[in-house]
Amino acid sequence: MKKQDAEIKGEPRSLEDWTAVLRDREMPVFSDTVQSINYIIEDEKKGAMELAPVILQDPNLTAKLLKLSNSIYYNPSRKQMVTVSRAIVILGIEVIRELTLACSLFEAILSPNNRRRANEEIAKAIHAAVQAKALAIAAKDPSPEEVFIAALLKNIGSITFWCFCGAQGDRIQALLKNGLSNEAAEKQVLGFKLADLDISLCKTWNLKGLIEAAIKKSTRDVDPRVKFVRVGCEVVEALREGVGTQSYYACVEKIEAMTGLSKQAIEASLRKNTDIAANIACHFGATEASNLIQHNVRQNSEANASAQNVDRKMLQFQILQDITTILSGRIDINLLLETVLEGIQRGIGMDRTIFALLTKDKNALLEKVALGWRKDSYLQKIRFELSQSPPNLFFQAITNHEGYWVNPKENESLYSASDVKTIGKQPCLLMAVCSGDKPIGLIYCDRAYSNFELTEDDLKAFKHFVQQANIGLSLYRMQAR
């Protein structure tokens, strides 16, 4: 039974308490992201149009994901990606799903207050994930990214506990210094083993497939791919003991049997993967963990292609280039609209952006894609009512082809009670999306959270992006004939 966070007073005192605190208080954004991704994965009809908005809700998550997507580890062809939609097209939706989970996890757990033990757990997880993925690739596994994320999350309970442990962590550390084993110290302080927290979080976050199989730690592997994960973790422990130790050579022999590679090739690969893991940790923002993976890690010289460091005007130009590429071939209308919305959201710097379609009765607009909206549930759909008498701002925009900059101080009469309930009284930009001369929907955006003022340049850029959507719709109609 789910225990509400409000009921937990003081420090957590049971496995159920710790599960609830991590899920509801310490890592609610990660919980929401996992829930949304699971919802998309379970529905085979959903794809990039559904996954991209989940990522774009969080600017920091978006920046980290694009940084990783542009790294040589994930993008050896070095095709530049400045939008999430483009990353999904180039890398594939499966890779982006796994990267989203990984980036979301580190977004939730990393802070300046992470102590050495927390960074050690993070370092081990990243290093194991890289080693396990390399092993899967060498063994010609069909989905090495799945192996990566399973190894990364295998000890999710230990990682998250040590990031948020407080005084209980200090008591465990004191017992370890007195000679107690990890499990004995954990049980004495917490009443359970952190391995039990791995399983509990796996269940509460509904982590399935290879992740679940790896976390269960069964002596009998249902999925033989779990061996990739386990050997990846064993390699990390062996390297901590030292090259040339009995554990190290035992791992080399296991890898040789699994892949057919020579011992020399395997040892070279283990060294290379250690360097890669240190760089990947930097991309995740885990600098201390990177140093723990490899003390003398080289300075990362790869260009940071994330949106965080790209000038906004340049970003608009790059996204418009992506749109031009989409328009020059057989048009994927969903990809076009997704890219247009991302251009508005990130290129112009909006807090909330939405593309809403006219309902069949023409009395309302219903969300198709929404970026940045704070909703109670991923399944919740935003609805804008159309009021003709007196006209509200949505009716005004949908019945005209001009782009509008609406300010409540100057246009208060356009904000109906329903509008205020849905969007508040925010200055906003609106423009109809048309198929030929027929409006089919509308794009709306605002800066409701940051409250930065809109400008004429913002309006000009906004109208240009929406015009690209309209051009694409016209070409799409011609191609469909």
Short mmCIF file of all heavy atoms in Angstrom, two decimals, residues 294-330:
data_model
loop_
_atom_site.label_atom_id
_atom_site.label_comp_id
_atom_site.label_asym_id
_atom_site.label_seq_id
_atom_site.Cartn_x
_atom_site.Cartn_y
_atom_site.Cartn_z
N GLN A 294 38.29 7.52 -13.09
CA GLN A 294 39.67 7.64 -13.58
C GLN A 294 40.25 8.94 -13.07
O GLN A 294 39.83 10.02 -13.48
CB GLN A 294 39.69 7.60 -15.11
CG GLN A 294 41.09 7.58 -15.70
CD GLN A 294 41.04 7.65 -17.21
OE1 GLN A 294 40.61 8.65 -17.75
NE2 GLN A 294 41.47 6.60 -17.87
N HIS A 295 41.17 8.87 -12.16
CA HIS A 295 41.67 10.06 -11.46
C HIS A 295 42.28 11.08 -12.42
O HIS A 295 42.17 12.28 -12.22
CB HIS A 295 42.69 9.65 -10.39
CG HIS A 295 42.10 8.89 -9.25
ND1 HIS A 295 41.19 9.45 -8.39
CD2 HIS A 295 42.27 7.61 -8.85
CE1 HIS A 295 40.83 8.56 -7.47
NE2 HIS A 295 41.46 7.42 -7.74
N ASN A 296 42.95 10.61 -13.43
CA ASN A 296 43.62 11.52 -14.36
C ASN A 296 42.83 11.63 -15.66
O ASN A 296 43.40 11.53 -16.74
CB ASN A 296 45.04 11.03 -14.64
CG ASN A 296 45.87 11.03 -13.38
OD1 ASN A 296 45.80 11.96 -12.58
ND2 ASN A 296 46.66 9.98 -13.20
N VAL A 297 41.51 11.81 -15.52
CA VAL A 297 40.69 11.87 -16.72
C VAL A 297 41.09 13.08 -17.56
O VAL A 297 41.35 14.16 -17.03
CB VAL A 297 39.19 11.94 -16.34
CG1 VAL A 297 38.86 13.20 -15.56
CG2 VAL A 297 38.31 11.86 -17.58
N ARG A 298 41.18 12.88 -18.84
CA ARG A 298 41.59 13.98 -19.73
C ARG A 298 40.46 15.00 -19.87
O ARG A 298 39.30 14.70 -19.70
CB ARG A 298 41.97 13.43 -21.11
CG ARG A 298 40.81 12.82 -21.88
CD ARG A 298 41.29 12.30 -23.22
NE ARG A 298 40.21 11.69 -23.96
CZ ARG A 298 39.84 10.44 -23.83
NH1 ARG A 298 40.45 9.66 -22.95
NH2 ARG A 298 38.86 9.95 -24.55
N GLN A 299 40.85 16.21 -20.17
CA GLN A 299 39.87 17.27 -20.37
C GLN A 299 39.00 16.95 -21.58
O GLN A 299 39.53 16.59 -22.63
CB GLN A 299 40.59 18.61 -20.59
CG GLN A 299 39.70 19.82 -20.40
CD GLN A 299 39.41 20.09 -18.95
OE1 GLN A 299 39.96 19.47 -18.06
NE2 GLN A 299 38.50 21.01 -18.71
N ASN A 300 37.73 17.04 -21.39
CA ASN A 300 36.81 16.72 -22.49
C ASN A 300 36.89 17.80 -23.56
O ASN A 300 36.60 18.96 -23.31
CB ASN A 300 35.38 16.62 -21.95
CG ASN A 300 34.40 16.17 -23.00
OD1 ASN A 300 34.78 15.89 -24.13
ND2 ASN A 300 33.14 16.11 -22.64
N SER A 301 37.34 17.42 -24.78
CA SER A 301 37.52 18.40 -25.86
C SER A 301 36.40 18.38 -26.88
O SER A 301 36.44 19.13 -27.85
CB SER A 301 38.85 18.11 -26.58
OG SER A 301 38.81 16.81 -27.13
N GLU A 302 35.40 17.50 -26.65
CA GLU A 302 34.30 17.45 -27.61
C GLU A 302 33.49 18.73 -27.53
O GLU A 302 33.31 19.32 -26.48
CB GLU A 302 33.38 16.26 -27.31
CG GLU A 302 34.04 14.93 -27.57
CD GLU A 302 33.06 13.79 -27.32
OE1 GLU A 302 31.88 14.07 -27.06
OE2 GLU A 302 33.49 12.64 -27.42
N ALA A 303 33.05 19.19 -28.67
CA ALA A 303 32.22 20.40 -28.70
C ALA A 303 30.90 20.14 -28.00
O ALA A 303 30.27 19.11 -28.22
CB ALA A 303 31.94 20.81 -30.16
N ASN A 304 30.51 21.06 -27.13
CA ASN A 304 29.23 20.94 -26.43
C ASN A 304 28.13 21.43 -27.33
O ASN A 304 27.95 22.62 -27.54
CB ASN A 304 29.28 21.77 -25.14
CG ASN A 304 28.01 21.65 -24.35
OD1 ASN A 304 27.03 21.07 -24.80
ND2 ASN A 304 28.01 22.22 -23.15
N ALA A 305 27.39 20.48 -27.92
CA ALA A 305 26.37 20.83 -28.90
C ALA A 305 25.00 20.96 -28.27
O ALA A 305 24.00 21.02 -28.97
CB ALA A 305 26.34 19.78 -30.00
N SER A 306 24.91 20.98 -26.96
CA SER A 306 23.61 21.09 -26.31
C SER A 306 23.04 22.49 -26.49
O SER A 306 23.76 23.46 -26.68
CB SER A 306 23.72 20.78 -24.81
OG SER A 306 24.31 21.86 -24.14
N ALA A 307 21.72 22.58 -26.38
CA ALA A 307 21.04 23.85 -26.57
C ALA A 307 21.43 24.88 -25.53
O ALA A 307 21.28 26.08 -25.74
CB ALA A 307 19.53 23.63 -26.53
N GLN A 308 21.95 24.39 -24.35
CA GLN A 308 22.28 25.31 -23.28
C GLN A 308 23.33 26.31 -23.69
O GLN A 308 23.35 27.44 -23.20
CB GLN A 308 22.78 24.47 -22.09
CG GLN A 308 22.49 25.08 -20.75
CD GLN A 308 22.75 24.08 -19.64
OE1 GLN A 308 23.57 23.17 -19.77
NE2 GLN A 308 22.07 24.24 -18.55
N ASN A 309 24.24 25.90 -24.61
CA ASN A 309 25.36 26.76 -24.97
C ASN A 309 25.28 27.28 -26.40
O ASN A 309 26.23 27.83 -26.92
CB ASN A 309 26.68 25.99 -24.78
CG ASN A 309 26.91 25.66 -23.32
OD1 ASN A 309 26.58 26.44 -22.45
ND2 ASN A 309 27.48 24.49 -23.06
N VAL A 310 24.20 27.05 -27.05
CA VAL A 310 24.04 27.54 -28.42
C VAL A 310 23.29 28.86 -28.38
O VAL A 310 22.25 28.98 -27.75
CB VAL A 310 23.28 26.52 -29.28
CG1 VAL A 310 23.09 27.06 -30.70
CG2 VAL A 310 24.05 25.21 -29.33
N ASP A 311 23.83 29.87 -29.03
CA ASP A 311 23.15 31.15 -29.11
C ASP A 311 21.74 30.96 -29.68
O ASP A 311 21.53 30.19 -30.60
CB ASP A 311 23.96 32.09 -30.00
CG ASP A 311 23.28 33.41 -30.19
OD1 ASP A 311 23.35 34.25 -29.29
OD2 ASP A 311 22.65 33.59 -31.26
N ARG A 312 20.77 31.68 -29.08
CA ARG A 312 19.38 31.44 -29.46
C ARG A 312 19.12 31.71 -30.95
O ARG A 312 18.40 30.95 -31.60
CB ARG A 312 18.45 32.31 -28.60
CG ARG A 312 16.99 32.00 -28.77
CD ARG A 312 16.16 32.68 -27.71
NE ARG A 312 16.36 32.03 -26.43
CZ ARG A 312 15.96 32.54 -25.27
NH1 ARG A 312 15.39 33.72 -25.23
NH2 ARG A 312 16.16 31.88 -24.14
N LYS A 313 19.70 32.76 -31.49
CA LYS A 313 19.51 33.04 -32.92
C LYS A 313 20.09 31.91 -33.77
O LYS A 313 19.50 31.50 -34.77
CB LYS A 313 20.18 34.37 -33.28
CG LYS A 313 19.49 35.60 -32.71
CD LYS A 313 18.19 35.89 -33.44
CE LYS A 313 17.59 37.20 -32.95
NZ LYS A 313 16.28 37.46 -33.59
N MET A 314 21.26 31.43 -33.37
CA MET A 314 21.88 30.33 -34.10
C MET A 314 21.03 29.06 -33.98
O MET A 314 20.86 28.31 -34.94
CB MET A 314 23.29 30.07 -33.56
CG MET A 314 24.02 28.92 -34.25
SD MET A 314 24.20 29.17 -36.05
CE MET A 314 25.38 30.53 -36.06
N LEU A 315 20.46 28.84 -32.78
CA LEU A 315 19.62 27.67 -32.58
C LEU A 315 18.38 27.73 -33.47
O LEU A 315 17.99 26.74 -34.09
CB LEU A 315 19.21 27.56 -31.11
CG LEU A 315 18.34 26.35 -30.73
CD1 LEU A 315 19.03 25.05 -31.09
CD2 LEU A 315 18.02 26.39 -29.24
N GLN A 316 17.77 28.92 -33.57
CA GLN A 316 16.62 29.09 -34.47
C GLN A 316 17.02 28.73 -35.90
O GLN A 316 16.30 28.00 -36.60
CB GLN A 316 16.12 30.54 -34.43
CG GLN A 316 15.43 30.94 -33.15
CD GLN A 316 15.00 32.40 -33.17
OE1 GLN A 316 14.86 33.00 -34.23
NE2 GLN A 316 14.84 32.98 -31.99
N PHE A 317 18.18 29.23 -36.33
CA PHE A 317 18.66 28.97 -37.69
C PHE A 317 18.86 27.47 -37.91
O PHE A 317 18.47 26.92 -38.95
CB PHE A 317 19.97 29.73 -37.93
CG PHE A 317 20.62 29.44 -39.24
CD1 PHE A 317 20.09 29.94 -40.42
CD2 PHE A 317 21.77 28.64 -39.31
CE1 PHE A 317 20.69 29.67 -41.66
CE2 PHE A 317 22.36 28.37 -40.53
CZ PHE A 317 21.83 28.88 -41.70
N GLN A 318 19.47 26.80 -36.94
CA GLN A 318 19.73 25.37 -37.08
C GLN A 318 18.44 24.55 -37.13
O GLN A 318 18.32 23.61 -37.92
CB GLN A 318 20.62 24.89 -35.92
CG GLN A 318 22.04 25.44 -35.99
CD GLN A 318 22.82 25.18 -34.71
OE1 GLN A 318 22.27 25.14 -33.62
NE2 GLN A 318 24.13 25.01 -34.86
N ILE A 319 17.46 24.93 -36.28
CA ILE A 319 16.19 24.20 -36.29
C ILE A 319 15.44 24.47 -37.60
O ILE A 319 14.81 23.56 -38.16
CB ILE A 319 15.34 24.59 -35.07
CG1 ILE A 319 16.04 24.11 -33.78
CG2 ILE A 319 13.94 23.96 -35.15
CD1 ILE A 319 15.35 24.53 -32.50
N LEU A 320 15.52 25.68 -38.10
CA LEU A 320 14.89 25.98 -39.39
C LEU A 320 15.55 25.18 -40.52
O LEU A 320 14.88 24.78 -41.48
CB LEU A 320 14.96 27.48 -39.68
CG LEU A 320 14.00 28.35 -38.85
CD1 LEU A 320 14.35 29.83 -38.98
CD2 LEU A 320 12.54 28.11 -39.27
N GLN A 321 16.84 24.93 -40.40
CA GLN A 321 17.51 24.07 -41.39
C GLN A 321 16.95 22.65 -41.33
O GLN A 321 16.73 22.01 -42.36
CB GLN A 321 19.02 24.05 -41.13
CG GLN A 321 19.76 25.28 -41.62
CD GLN A 321 21.26 25.13 -41.48
OE1 GLN A 321 21.76 24.68 -40.44
NE2 GLN A 321 21.99 25.49 -42.51
N ASP A 322 16.71 22.16 -40.11
CA ASP A 322 16.09 20.83 -39.94
C ASP A 322 14.71 20.80 -40.59
O ASP A 322 14.34 19.83 -41.24
CB ASP A 322 15.97 20.47 -38.46
CG ASP A 322 17.29 20.00 -37.86
OD1 ASP A 322 18.25 19.85 -38.62
OD2 ASP A 322 17.34 19.80 -36.63
N ILE A 323 13.95 21.89 -40.41
CA ILE A 323 12.62 21.96 -41.00
C ILE A 323 12.70 21.96 -42.52
O ILE A 323 11.92 21.29 -43.20
CB ILE A 323 11.87 23.22 -40.49
CG1 ILE A 323 11.55 23.07 -38.99
CG2 ILE A 323 10.58 23.46 -41.28
CD1 ILE A 323 11.00 24.33 -38.35
N THR A 324 13.67 22.70 -43.06
CA THR A 324 13.87 22.72 -44.52
C THR A 324 14.15 21.32 -45.05
O THR A 324 13.65 20.92 -46.10
CB THR A 324 15.02 23.66 -44.88
OG1 THR A 324 14.71 24.99 -44.43
CG2 THR A 324 15.25 23.69 -46.39
N THR A 325 14.95 20.55 -44.30
CA THR A 325 15.26 19.17 -44.69
C THR A 325 13.98 18.33 -44.70
O THR A 325 13.75 17.53 -45.61
CB THR A 325 16.28 18.55 -43.72
OG1 THR A 325 17.47 19.34 -43.74
CG2 THR A 325 16.61 17.12 -44.11
N ILE A 326 13.14 18.52 -43.70
CA ILE A 326 11.88 17.78 -43.62
C ILE A 326 10.98 18.12 -44.81
O ILE A 326 10.35 17.26 -45.42
CB ILE A 326 11.15 18.07 -42.29
CG1 ILE A 326 11.96 17.54 -41.11
CG2 ILE A 326 9.75 17.44 -42.28
CD1 ILE A 326 11.46 18.01 -39.76
N LEU A 327 10.93 19.42 -45.17
CA LEU A 327 10.06 19.89 -46.25
C LEU A 327 10.56 19.48 -47.63
O LEU A 327 9.78 19.46 -48.59
CB LEU A 327 9.93 21.42 -46.20
CG LEU A 327 9.24 22.01 -44.96
CD1 LEU A 327 9.25 23.54 -45.04
CD2 LEU A 327 7.81 21.50 -44.84
N SER A 328 11.84 19.14 -47.73
CA SER A 328 12.42 18.85 -49.04
C SER A 328 12.16 17.42 -49.52
O SER A 328 12.41 17.10 -50.68
CB SER A 328 13.93 19.09 -49.02
OG SER A 328 14.56 18.19 -48.13
N GLY A 329 11.65 16.57 -48.64
CA GLY A 329 11.38 15.19 -49.04
C GLY A 329 9.93 14.81 -48.81
O GLY A 329 9.04 15.67 -48.82
N ARG A 330 9.71 13.51 -48.63
CA ARG A 330 8.37 13.02 -48.29
C ARG A 330 8.08 13.46 -46.86
O ARG A 330 8.77 13.06 -45.93
CB ARG A 330 8.34 11.50 -48.40
CG ARG A 330 6.94 10.90 -48.31
CD ARG A 330 6.19 11.11 -49.61
NE ARG A 330 4.80 10.67 -49.53
CZ ARG A 330 3.91 10.86 -50.49
NH1 ARG A 330 4.28 11.47 -51.62
NH2 ARG A 330 2.68 10.44 -50.37
#
